[in-house]
Amino acid sequence: MSIPGNTLETDLVSLRDRVNQQLAEYVSPGAFTSAADCPSRLRESMAYSLLAGGKRLRPLLVLLTSEACGGRVEAALPAACAIEMVHTYSLIHDDLPAMDDDDLRRGRPTNHKVYGEAMAILAGDALLTLAFEVVAQFTPRPDVAAACCVDLASASGWCGMVAGQVADLEAEAAGVSEKNSPDKALSQLEAIHRRKTGRLLTSAVTLGARVALATPELMKRLEQFGKCVGLAFQIADDLLDVTGDAAKLGKKVGKDASLGKMTYPGLLGVEASRQKADALIDEACQMLQPLGEQGDKLAALAKFMTRRDH
Ligand code: GRG
């Protein structure tokens, strides 16, 4: 990961290493009293995708938000790892033939290409449930752990990420982009992404704030920060599908256009999409004002997330 500013880059690399180390521990046979009972092929399939690299943006958002609110890394690490488990499950399921049917993810063959469809579905299921086991068991204070479970479940579930994925499939099946006016198509696209990617990214921020016991006023501002960053991230993702390099991304590019999908560059053009993403990041950074310098790393990560090349 290359992020401008030497200290920030060192900090992020070391936080990411901690997340990677903890994730490996959570899927090891000794992680829980009952963990040795996991069938070895299932564990292998879970670890294959979970430990395949990835930028770890969601865990970094959890940890940096918590730090910005005065929290400790150790307290936020279970939630940071849990959200990465949920994200990895969504990628495994999204890559399945019944969904996006992809054969490359994080620079490797997708989970179902290696372990078969049934095991890929089960590895996704197991990562999703393990996420909640980890938050409930290892987040300090039972009331905070419970609030984090609700937050993560609502962001990823039937009215969150899963709903967004359903809306995306329905829009694709209906060929909505051709039938609607540009304004209507744009608000439909926003409604899809607000849930499909936005809710989980917002949850990364609110989880960090919850663990650090942020005040309700700060929580509100951070939630708005997360919403802006979530949408800007999706616009950047759409742009990378047009302008990105498959080798750097570790997945195919040009897929959205070949499937006739609605995207920001498709509806607004490349330059206006970039401007929209930049404006969202400006709005996001304004939300961090009460944090003063303590919000600087979080602001830098948000900027990186939209200006990344992978
Ligand atoms: C299967 C319920 C279910 C949901 C899937 C998020 C999602 C919904 C599918 C992923 C499809 C996709 C490529 C969405 C675009 C935004 C996105 C989540 C990109 C990948 O996230 P990164 O860039 O990936 O953070 P890494 O590999 O770095 O973690």
Side-chain angles (χ1 to χ4, degrees):
M1 179 179 315
S2 179
I3 298 181
N6 262 347
T7 338
L8 176 67
E9 188 172 341
T10 319
D11 277 4
L12 290 182
V13 169
S14 94
L15 282 178
R16 198 189 50 193
D17 289 348
R18 280 190 80 173
V19 168
N20 286 337
Q21 212 176 359
Q22 189 61 58
L23 284 170
E25 222 171 292
Y26 281 142
V27 289
S28 72
F32 302 88
T33 30
S34 57
D37 253 358
C38 176
S40 61
R41 187 90 176 140
L42 174 61
R43 181 193 309 285
E44 203 186 294
S45 168
M46 291 161 74
Y48 174 81
S49 293
L50 187 65
L51 310 180
K55 296 178 288 297
R56 309 310 195 198
L57 295 173
R58 292 153 194 80
L60 288 173
L61 277 174
V62 176
L63 297 177
L64 290 188
T65 306
S66 159
E67 187 188 81
C69 300
R72 290 177 307 115
V73 171
E74 294 72 33
L77 207 49
C81 290
I83 202 162
E84 187 65 22
M85 290 173 188
V86 173
H87 170 57
T88 304
Y89 124 78
S90 82
L91 298 178
I92 296 174
H93 282 195
D94 188 64
D95 289 335
L96 288 166
M99 302 242 192
D100 251 16
D101 194 12
D102 266 308
D103 41 23
L104 199 61
R105 171 70 67 184
R106 291 176 164 170
R108 296 169 157 202
T110 43
N111 195 296
H112 66 273
K113 287 280 164 194
V114 179
Y115 295 95
E117 278 181 48
M119 190 58 83
I121 292 168
L122 293 166
D125 294 342
L127 283 169
L128 175 63
T129 42
L130 179 57
F132 292 95
E133 194 172 346
V134 163
V135 177
Q137 198 164 335
F138 299 117
T139 300
R141 282 186 49 164
D143 57 336
V144 176
C148 287
C149 282
V150 173
D151 188 331
L152 189 56
S154 134
S156 54
W158 64 329
C159 301
M161 182 174 68
V162 174
Q165 180 78 343
V166 169
D168 196 8
L169 291 173
E170 285 177 351
E172 213 177 309
V176 181
S177 55
E178 285 131 47
K179 287 181 198 154
N180 283 339
S181 68
D183 275 358
K184 196 163 176 213
L186 204 60
S187 66
Q188 197 153 16
L189 186 62
E190 212 155 297
I192 293 171
H193 292 315
R194 186 174 47 78
R195 288 176 293 180
K196 186 176 162 184
T197 39
R199 287 289 309 274
L200 199 63
L201 282 163
T202 306
S203 174
V205 175
T206 50
L207 286 174
R210 283 182 203 289
V211 175
L213 308 176
T215 61
E217 296 76 40
L218 186 54
M219 179 76 85
K220 231 176 172 175
R221 292 187 76 98
L222 287 167
E223 194 176 349
Q224 184 58 21
F225 167 84
K227 283 180 183 169
C228 292
V229 171
L231 193 54
F233 172 84
Q234 183 58 55
I235 297 173
D237 202 71
D238 282 2
L239 281 165
L240 283 172
D241 194 61
V242 179
T243 61
D245 172 357
K248 275 191 186 154
L249 287 165
K251 62 176 186 181
K252 280 186 201 154
V253 291
K255 210 168 168 220
D256 294 339
S258 72
L259 291 172
K261 272 196 163 190
M262 259 195 300
T263 64
Y264 283 93
L267 290 174
L268 295 177
V270 168
E271 205 35 52
S273 300
R274 264 196 224 296
Q275 282 169 9
K276 188 170 168 66
D278 287 346
L280 282 162
I281 291 303
D282 284 348
E283 186 187 340
C285 291
Q286 276 169 26
M287 292 297 127
L288 302 180
Q289 257 173 4
L291 289 166
E293 280 182 8
Q294 269 181 242
D296 284 357
K297 285 189 208 166
L298 202 49
L301 180 62
K303 285 178 190 153
F304 163 76
M305 285 172 67
T306 45
R307 283 284 169 180
R308 67 205 157 94
D309 61 5
H310 65 295

